[in-house]
């Protein structure tokens, strides 16, 4: 993939200068753009070493300008300077199993959603664990957003809900259900909060964005099925800059759309896809290995057992007439 192009863009973040950071999942890298979509730089690449990725998922920018990215299959969070210089990392299996969304508050505290653990873990700015956010409505969390006061919003993809937690990690509100009506979701993904406190949720299965008050009252929605005469499919991450522009990852077309005003698309990052087919990765997950191994073993059993039976039949002794003899058990008698 060339500079400024994507394969399955996932997470999106914006810094205080309006620069846009994209987790380019299929290419295992982070790309950086100006607010107008001009390519600046990139970093990463496939692998498990420092500064490498195996499916980067979420991306966030801290108050100091550092960039944080969740590394899904490497079970960790990596930290970079705003220019992409590797700084630090923390986490490993089983502390993280499948980290997805990430957010950083004004104090530098980090919130990392873990799809497998059904929770969001909170860390201080040095990566020290502080607490975990749980709730009966938090099932397979994907998106996470924080406010300046430390409140946290979490989208649950399987449960089709949004949960709001206090800065102490206590759930204080939740809303949503499965469906396509106002305030309903089909596999919500990214979530973001603007300067006025309005909450924006990417409703992936309905190809739209819905907005809510801080306590979950439905406000409005914007249908994203058609944008710039193209189908807007499988929206993922979302970010909002200080001017109120909204950036959404369009995974179906491998683009980032910038929306403003009444959510009219006024800029698209990366219109070209030079490869076809699903994203490829250098490694397989544990689940993939187990599934393939089970398939191979089953195939071997299916192939070899009939051959073994044929061999046993051919080796049976024959009587004088040339017919194969039967054992007592096959003739219906039993031994004592």
């Amino acid at each position: 993939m060339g500079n400024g192009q994507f394969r399955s863009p996932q997470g999106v973040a914006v810094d205080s200068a309006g620069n846009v950071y994209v987790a380019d999942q299929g290419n295992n890298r982070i790309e950086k753009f100006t607010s107008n979509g001009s390519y600046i730089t990139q970093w990463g690449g496939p692998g498990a070493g420092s500064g490498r990725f195996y499916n980067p998922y979420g991306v966030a920018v801290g108050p100091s300008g550092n960039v944080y990215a969740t590394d899904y299959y490497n079970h960790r969070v990596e930290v970079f300077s705003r220019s992409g210089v590797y700084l630090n990392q923390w986490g490993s299996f089983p502390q993280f199993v499948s980290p997805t969304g990430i957010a950083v508050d004004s104090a530098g505290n980090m919130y990392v959603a873990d799809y497998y653990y059904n929770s969001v873990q909170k860390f201080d700015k040095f990566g020290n664990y502080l607490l975990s956010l749980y709730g009966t409505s938090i099932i397979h969390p994907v998106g996470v957003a924080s406010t300046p006061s430390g409140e946290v919003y979490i989208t649950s993809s399987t449960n089709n809900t949004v949960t709001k937690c206090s800065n102490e990690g206590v759930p204080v509100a939740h809303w949503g259900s499965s469906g396509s009506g106002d305030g309903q979701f089909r596999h919500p993904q990214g979530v973001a909060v603007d300067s006025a406190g309005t909450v924006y949720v990417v409703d992936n299965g309905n190809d739209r964005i819905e907005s809510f008050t801080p306590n979950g009252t439905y406000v409005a929605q914007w249908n994203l099925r058609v944008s710039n005469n193209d189908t807007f499919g499988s929206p993922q991450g979302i970010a909002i800059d200080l001017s109120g522009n909204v950036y959404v990852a369009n995974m179906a077309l491998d683009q980032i759309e910038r929306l403003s005003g009444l959510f009219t698309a006024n800029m698209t990052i990366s219109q070209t896809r030079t490869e076809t087919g699903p994203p490829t990765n250098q490694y397989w997950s544990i689940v993939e290995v187990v599934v393939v191994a089970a398939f191979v073993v089953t195939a071997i059993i299916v192939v070899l057992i009939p051959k073994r039976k044929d061999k046993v039949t051919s080796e049976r002794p024959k009587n004088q007439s040339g017919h194969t003899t039967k054992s007592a058990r096959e003739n219906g008698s039993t031994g004592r």
Side-chain angles (χ1 to χ4, degrees):
M1 271 293 183
N3 296 338
Q5 294 179 325
F6 308 114
R7 291 196 71 206
S8 302
Q10 182 64 246
V12 187
V14 183
D15 65 19
S16 58
N19 296 310
V20 182
Y21 302 82
V22 181
D24 185 8
Q25 190 175 75
N27 289 313
N28 292 299
R29 65 186 179 184
I30 303 295
E31 292 195 272
K32 180 180 180 179
F33 301 84
T34 67
S35 58
N36 291 320
S38 298
Y39 171 82
I40 298 176
T41 188
Q42 63 175 282
W43 60 87
S50 298
R52 314 290 282 185
F53 297 106
Y54 183 16
N55 278 36
Y57 201 106
V59 61
V61 181
S64 64
N66 289 338
V67 181
Y68 302 79
T70 54
D71 191 0
Y72 190 89
Y73 283 123
N74 283 324
H75 318 292
R76 65 186 179 184
V77 173
E78 294 194 275
V79 188
F80 303 86
S81 72
R82 67 189 69 195
S83 59
V85 177
Y86 171 81
L87 299 176
N88 193 15
Q89 65 178 281
W90 77 90
S92 61
F93 184 87
Q95 181 179 19
F96 296 125
V97 175
S98 46
T100 50
I102 185 170
V104 185
D105 65 22
S106 57
N109 297 311
M110 294 158 284
Y111 305 83
V112 182
D114 195 299
Y115 188 87
Y116 179 85
Y117 281 141
N118 296 324
S119 69
V120 173
Q121 297 183 54
K122 181 179 180 180
F123 302 85
D124 67 18
K125 61 182 179 181
F126 303 108
N128 299 311
Y129 172 83
L130 297 177
L131 55 86
S132 290
L133 287 67
Y134 294 96
T136 56
S137 62
I138 302 176
I139 307 295
H140 294 159
V142 175
V144 58
S146 63
T147 67
S149 60
E151 295 172 320
V152 181
Y153 294 89
I154 304 163
T155 59
S156 297
S157 178
T158 300
N159 214 29
N160 293 300
T161 58
V162 176
T163 301
K164 177 183 179 181
C165 295
S166 68
N167 55 7
E168 292 86 14
V170 179
V172 294
H174 74 271
W175 64 88
S177 61
S178 178
S180 57
D182 294 349
Q184 293 184 311
F185 307 108
R186 289 181 58 209
H187 308 300
Q189 297 292 311
V191 59
V193 183
D194 67 15
S195 58
T198 302
V199 182
Y200 299 82
V201 181
V202 175
D203 186 6
N204 176 274
N206 290 314
D207 290 327
R208 65 184 180 182
I209 295 173
E210 294 190 274
S211 65
F212 302 86
T213 67
N215 290 320
T217 301
Y218 172 81
V219 176
Q221 65 177 272
W222 295 268
N223 194 315
L224 301 174
R225 291 189 188 279
V226 178
S227 178
N228 290 342
N229 298 319
D230 288 320
T231 299
F232 199 124
S234 191
Q236 301 292 325
I238 185 172
I240 304 175
D241 65 20
L242 296 178
S243 300
N245 294 309
V246 178
Y247 300 82
V248 183
N250 180 349
M251 182 174 281
L253 293 181
D254 295 316
Q255 298 173 346
I256 302 298
E257 300 273 359
R258 187 180 73 185
L259 312 171
S260 63
L262 294 176
F263 276 55
T264 301
N266 61 14
M267 188 270 291
T268 300
I269 300 176
S270 184
Q271 299 86 355
T272 304
R273 179 172 185 155
T274 59
E275 299 182 33
T276 59
T280 57
N281 294 290
Q282 184 177 354
Y283 308 102
W284 287 356
S285 70
I286 295 175
V287 174
E288 290 169 328
V289 172
V290 171
V291 170
V292 172
F295 176 83
V296 172
V297 171
T298 302
I300 292 174
I301 293 174
V302 170
V303 172
L304 292 184
I305 285 180
K307 292 184 177 180
R308 178 58 184 166
K309 287 182 178 179
D310 292 342
K311 183 176 180 182
V312 171
T313 301
S314 64
E315 291 176 348
R316 283 173 176 167
K318 296 182 179 180
N319 57 25
Q320 292 181 352
S321 65
H323 297 293
T324 302
T325 62
K326 291 185 178 181
S327 66
R329 184 178 298 274
E330 288 173 308
N331 279 316
S333 61
T334 58
R336 296 291 181 185

